[in-house]
Amino acid sequence: MEFKVSKEFIHQLEEHIVKRNDNELEILLNDLHHADIAEILDELDFDEATYIFKVLDSDKTAEILLELEEDLRENILSRLSPKEIAEELDELETNDAADIIAELSQEIKAEVISELVDVEHAKDIVELLRYDENTAGGLMGKELVKVNENWNVLTCVKEMRIQAENVSRVHSIYVVDDENRLKGRLSLKDLLTSSTKTQIGDVYIRKLNFVNVDTEDVEVARIMQKYDLEAIPVVDELGRLVGRITIDDIVDVIKDEADKDYQLAAGITQDIETNDSVLELTKARLPWLLIGMVIEIVASFVLKDNETAFQKYSTLIIFVPLLSATAGNIGVQASAIVVQGLANGTLKEFSRSYFSKEITVSMISGSIISLLLLGYHSLMYQQYLVGIAISISMIVVIMFAATLGTLVPLFLHKNKIDPAIATGPFITTTNDVFGIMLYFGVAKLILGF
């Protein structure tokens, strides 16, 4: 059952903190999952959270560190000595330890590394710090189980027992040659059913998915999602096995990418959180608001240039908000589907068949909306020619919006720009200007003003 943080529980903890009842605090928190404790610490102030953190054992607090909000983790780490931080990192897998060390200042980072008890663990962490955090090298952990293709099954089992002591979960058994080059993977079933004298080279599976240390994290996520993998090996430029990436790390990548795309679609240009400062929130949100303001000013000039038409055909202005909203919705829908296709790999570049499909959908949708609009206008205003002009204009604008919504994300993707930008204010504001221009252009042709 999922643990829910209650006000009563928080109040109980605060009372024990004030009275310095360390034993009671341990009893209350001991059976909780580290993610639940992290959630509790986020509800407390910095001093209370730090106190509880120091009360608990390092084998538990190490995992808690990973789940904390960034600000709280930074504050807690600032109150720990390099030796205390090293004790926490000694309990973590290499990739998690490297992530935390990367957040420290250069000076503290060196001190913490020098305090790590396990020299091999320290060397692995230092190696991981060399890689960009958004690559497979930055995601991978060094903990894995590997066997040599020249070993027999008996030797293999002995070596695996030794290696497994440092691995929390054994997802796969990787097979390497004498140069540590990745050759394949070993099935546990084949290992158990083979004679102890059988050579690993005779039974291992040669076909497996792997990524290079420089592969982008989103590409790693796509591969693991496509092939439904719990873990994937990572190789260097020479094909040598250097680490593995597990599904829990990829879930974080997928979540972060989804959050980023959601914010871009809303016109937020930077990665922000609800607990960021007012200045950070403003800086992230203001740019697209200013761009939108400029574009809408352009749209206002288009309206001003058609004042004569409003005086003669007053109903034209009444339907401008409907036109803008419909075109914006059509454009966002079209771009959202394209962005989704680019993200999951079902659409990699411009496709005539898909473009034709999108245009057909928009034509059907536009025709239905336009017919309903013509019927409404004729019923309410009895200006049949004006109604026809508005209806035809609506079809043209919808077709334009669908075209823009389909092609812009593909253009951005081709030029290495995140296409999620095209699912928000960019499409809606651009449609406003060009949509209004098309609207009055078509109406002028039909009504002759």
Side-chain angles (χ1 to χ4, degrees):
M1 182 182 290
E2 183 184 2
F3 175 80
K4 298 289 186 182
V5 181
S6 65
K7 291 182 179 179
E8 292 76 15
F9 189 84
I10 294 295
H11 181 66
Q12 193 176 0
L13 284 176
E14 289 173 335
E15 284 186 341
H16 289 311
I17 292 170
V18 171
K19 296 176 183 177
R20 295 299 190 259
N21 292 335
D22 294 358
N23 289 335
E24 294 297 326
L25 286 171
E26 285 192 86
I27 291 170
L28 275 175
L29 299 171
N30 195 48
D31 292 332
L32 294 181
H33 191 274
H34 56 265
D36 294 325
I37 299 176
E39 188 179 346
I40 291 166
L41 297 187
D42 285 328
E43 295 289 326
L44 302 172
D45 63 40
F46 284 148
D47 290 330
E48 292 172 335
T50 305
Y51 182 83
I52 288 180
F53 191 86
K54 290 190 172 184
V55 166
L56 300 173
D57 293 332
S58 59
D59 60 340
K60 190 145 198 163
T61 53
E63 296 290 342
I64 294 171
L65 266 180
L66 299 172
E67 302 291 340
L68 292 175
E69 293 291 336
E70 193 172 326
D71 287 346
L72 179 55
R73 180 167 62 242
E74 182 181 341
N75 194 280
I76 287 178
L77 290 173
S78 70
R79 300 186 184 196
L80 299 178
S81 68
K83 185 175 181 180
E84 288 174 319
I85 296 175
E87 289 173 356
E88 302 293 335
L89 301 186
D90 273 323
E91 301 291 336
L92 293 174
E93 292 191 347
T94 48
N95 58 329
D96 293 328
D99 288 342
I100 290 177
I101 287 185
E103 297 176 8
L104 303 174
S105 66
Q106 203 63 39
E107 182 183 347
I108 299 297
K109 192 182 297 183
E111 290 184 49
V112 170
I113 291 172
S114 67
E115 292 286 353
L116 290 169
V117 175
D118 189 333
V119 177
E120 287 301 316
H121 190 58
K123 284 169 63 178
D124 287 340
I125 293 171
V126 170
E127 181 186 342
L128 294 181
L129 290 171
R130 292 172 31 227
Y131 299 107
D132 188 297
E133 64 177 346
N134 297 320
T135 64
L139 280 175
M140 71 180 182
K142 302 294 288 184
E143 293 83 5
L144 52 80
V145 174
K146 63 181 179 180
V147 297
N148 192 294
E149 63 178 345
N150 298 316
W151 293 346
N152 60 33
V153 169
L154 183 60
T155 304
C156 177
V157 171
K158 289 179 181 178
E159 292 294 330
M160 284 173 55
R161 285 174 180 169
I162 297 170
Q163 294 177 37
E165 291 179 5
N166 299 317
V167 182
S168 58
R169 292 187 299 275
V170 180
H171 293 283
S172 298
I173 306 164
Y174 302 115
V175 180
V176 297
D177 61 14
D178 292 334
E179 301 298 325
N180 198 43
R181 288 189 292 260
L182 181 65
K183 306 298 288 185
R185 62 183 177 86
L186 181 62
S187 161
L188 186 59
K189 178 182 177 181
D190 290 339
L191 182 68
L192 294 173
T193 56
S194 298
S195 164
T196 56
K197 295 181 180 180
T198 302
Q199 292 290 114
I200 296 301
D202 295 332
V203 293
Y204 78 86
I205 301 166
R206 286 164 174 77
K207 186 178 179 181
L208 87 163
N209 299 104
F210 62 88
V211 292
N212 189 274
V213 287
D214 295 324
T215 303
E216 291 186 4
D217 54 1
V218 289
E219 178 62 14
V220 177
R222 190 191 67 78
I223 293 170
M224 292 187 70
Q225 189 175 21
K226 179 179 180 180
Y227 295 106
D228 198 21
L229 304 174
E230 292 185 353
I232 192 167
V234 183
V235 300
D236 64 11
E237 294 79 0
L238 299 176
R240 294 174 300 191
L241 180 62
V242 291
R244 65 159 184 173
I245 298 170
T246 53
I247 191 64
D248 56 318
D249 298 311
I250 288 304
V251 168
D252 292 337
V253 171
I254 294 171
K255 178 182 177 299
D256 291 343
E257 193 66 17
D259 289 345
K260 186 177 108 180
D261 286 348
Y262 183 79
Q263 290 181 352
L264 281 174
I268 299 173
T269 57
Q270 300 173 22
D271 186 19
I272 57 172
E273 301 287 345
T274 53
N275 57 1
D276 285 342
S277 68
V278 171
L279 180 61
E280 289 172 324
L281 292 170
T282 304
K283 283 167 61 180
R285 293 158 66 173
L286 188 58
W288 266 114
L289 295 176
L290 294 175
I291 293 170
M293 181 194 74
V294 172
I295 294 176
E296 293 299 343
I297 287 174
V298 175
S300 71
F301 281 117
V302 176
L303 291 173
K304 187 176 184 301
D305 288 340
N306 289 277
E307 283 181 313
T308 305
F310 299 154
Q311 292 169 3
K312 192 172 182 180
Y313 305 105
S314 59
T315 55
L316 284 176
I317 190 66
I318 296 173
F319 291 95
V320 168
L322 173 63
L323 174 113
S324 296
T326 305
N329 289 336
I330 291 286
V332 168
Q333 287 175 351
S335 61
I337 294 171
V338 172
V339 170
Q340 183 185 45
L342 292 170
N344 61 29
T346 57
L347 186 65
K348 294 182 173 63
E349 56 187 15
F350 176 78
S351 165
R352 283 188 179 181
S353 61
Y354 177 76
F355 182 68
S356 299
K357 185 190 295 184
E358 187 59 46
I359 293 300
T360 303
V361 170
S362 63
M363 187 179 291
I364 294 170
S365 302
S367 299
I368 293 171
I369 292 170
S370 296
L371 286 172
L372 291 172
L373 188 58
L374 176 61
Y376 172 77
H377 189 278
S378 300
L379 184 66
M380 294 296 295
Y381 303 101
Q382 286 82 46
Q383 297 175 328
Y384 302 111
L385 189 60
V386 177
I388 290 170
I390 293 172
S391 299
I392 293 174
S393 299
M394 180 66 79
I395 293 177
V396 173
V397 171
I398 285 175
M399 296 287 287
F400 171 79
T403 302
L404 190 73
T406 303
L407 296 183
V408 168
L410 291 168
F411 173 79
L412 294 174
H413 178 70
K414 186 177 180 179
N415 289 276
K416 309 298 181 185
I417 302 171
D418 196 324
I421 295 172
T423 59
F426 180 87
I427 287 292
T428 52
T429 52
T430 304
N431 272 329
D432 275 352
V433 176
F434 289 101
I436 290 172
M437 290 173 65
L438 287 169
Y439 177 59
F440 285 107
V442 173
K444 187 179 292 186
L445 285 174
I446 296 173
L447 300 174
F449 57 81

